[in-house]
Amino acid sequence: MHALVLTGPGEAEIQDVEAPKAEPGQVVVNVERVGVCGTDAELFSGEMSYLHTGRSWYPLRPGHEWCGRVTALGEGVCEDWLGRRVTGDTLLGCDRCDRCRAGRHHVCADTGEIGVSRGRPGALAEQLAVPARALHALPDTLDSTLGALVEPGGNALRAVRAAELRAGERLLILGTGTIGLLAALFADAQGVEVHLMGLRQPELAGTLGAAGVWTRPALPDHLPWHAVIDASNAAELPALALDLVEPARRVVYIGLAGTPSTLDTRDLALRDVTAGGILGGSAGLADTIAAYADGSVNPRPLVAGTVGLADAAGILAGHRPDDAGPGPKFHIDPRR
């Protein structure tokens, strides 16, 4: 089958590779759609920290935001999965340790991430092998665009939940990329007043129900922020999130900067602020599917366009096709 393979920093090619087989406990999925995110771009550029710690290495097959149809079952897998349209958890724990048994497989010491770490092949290919325990069925009402947005949606939903806001309270989201905009959609669906802050005031953000879209100089200084979510990749913004949030409320960190950020824990303690970090969408995938299915959250405008596997390397390198829409997300259809 054809697959995109990262062979080194800034180097990628489509290769003919061996098609996966459904080992015991696994299924094989014919991939329909794959989302490209910042992690994929950093794996391509060589900037991803995992490449420097030994958790990831080249050659690497990326792609962790995906959907498709199950076409083969391994031994021990329920036959009901055959023919089902599915997406799946990216974070795969050992399924044996205390963390996994307690439902915290996403922080298992041996976690491998599909298309990201520990040599697990990703979905930028015609087929993908996945443990059946990681699968989530997609209802017929969810097309491939929505199916490939479930994984980032799960991340955003977990961030909004961690903010612990009530309807009518005010949320500030730092960052207007895919996760920031998805968090805005989920928070708005819960009746929260949403504001976004980014380097720019993207036209798209103002159409997603946000009460305000600001740059840093224009950010109002008279509004109390009942929670702040940092969904940016700027090293200086975690400290700003703490400065802006109301005392005794919550800041949520889901963005990852390329360099270490500095946070003064004295401010955290003296203002009685609770800070939380979010890794992965595992616990939010099922409810994300439900929100997309019932229409309470519609992330379609975030997708700027869909290209074939041959154009995937260009997207990873930051190329934006001339006919792209205003959204931050690009999808790849490996069947093209």
Side-chain angles (χ1 to χ4, degrees):
M1 69 172 184
H2 292 116
L4 184 76
V5 181
L6 308 184
T7 55
E11 299 176 356
E13 59 187 40
I14 297 174
Q15 295 182 1
D16 287 325
V17 301
E18 184 177 357
K21 296 180 175 60
E23 302 294 339
Q26 292 185 342
V27 304
V28 171
V29 174
N30 280 7
V31 181
E32 297 176 352
R33 195 70 57 85
V34 186
V36 174
C37 84
T39 297
D40 301 310
E42 288 188 357
L43 288 168
F44 172 76
S45 69
E47 298 172 359
M48 175 64 176
S49 63
Y50 285 179
L51 292 166
H52 306 287
T53 61
R55 187 164 176 168
S56 301
W57 55 84
Y58 299 118
L60 185 149
R61 284 166 46 187
H64 60 276
E65 303 175 3
W66 59 272
C67 68
R69 190 177 297 276
V70 176
T71 57
L73 308 177
E75 181 183 349
V77 177
C78 176
E79 293 184 0
D80 290 347
W81 284 115
L82 191 61
R84 297 291 298 273
R85 292 184 61 255
V86 296
T87 187
D89 200 337
T90 294
L91 296 157
L92 306 177
C94 70
D95 207 31
R96 300 182 301 275
C97 69
D98 289 344
R99 294 176 188 172
C100 287
R101 286 196 292 265
R104 300 192 302 274
H105 65 275
H106 63 298
V107 290
C108 169
D110 292 325
T111 292
E113 298 157 88
I114 291 174
V116 177
S117 69
R118 301 192 189 277
R120 287 192 173 273
L124 279 172
E126 293 176 296
Q127 292 186 318
L128 175 70
V130 188
R133 58 185 164 85
L135 295 178
H136 288 261
L138 296 175
D140 293 338
T141 52
L142 262 64
D143 62 8
S144 298
T145 297
L146 294 178
L149 284 166
V150 169
E151 195 277 341
N155 281 268
L157 176 56
R158 289 193 64 218
V160 171
R161 286 177 169 169
E164 293 193 359
L165 289 167
R166 297 184 296 271
E169 292 188 314
R170 186 176 296 111
L171 169 66
L172 177 63
I173 300 170
L174 308 181
T176 54
T178 298
I179 297 298
L181 295 177
L182 280 167
L185 288 170
F186 279 104
D188 180 65
Q190 296 176 17
V192 172
E193 180 185 315
V194 179
H195 294 251
L196 291 140
M197 190 197 89
L199 293 175
R200 301 172 302 280
Q201 294 176 301
E203 177 184 349
L204 176 64
T207 69
L208 299 178
V213 184
W214 315 95
T215 58
R216 177 67 184 98
L219 188 70
D221 57 10
H222 64 283
L223 294 178
W225 307 112
H226 301 118
V228 179
I229 295 175
D230 177 18
S232 76
N233 60 1
E236 69 275 11
L237 290 191
L240 178 63
L242 177 56
D243 289 342
L244 292 173
V245 74
E246 280 284 282
R249 300 307 295 261
R250 290 177 174 262
V251 290
V252 180
Y253 297 108
I254 190 170
L256 293 175
T259 57
S261 55
T262 301
L263 194 70
D264 191 336
T265 56
R266 293 172 297 182
D267 291 337
L268 194 71
L270 292 172
R271 300 182 66 234
D272 199 26
V273 170
T274 300
I278 298 297
L279 174 67
S282 302
L285 299 179
D287 287 340
T288 295
I289 292 170
Y292 292 175
D294 67 22
S296 58
V297 174
N298 175 22
R300 291 181 188 278
L302 275 61
V303 179
T306 301
V307 301
L309 198 60
D311 295 315
I315 297 297
L316 290 170
H319 173 67
R320 196 172 182 92
D322 293 338
D323 60 351
K329 174 69 68 178
F330 281 93
H331 279 175
I332 311 296
D333 184 343
R335 301 168 297 181
R336 292 189 182 182

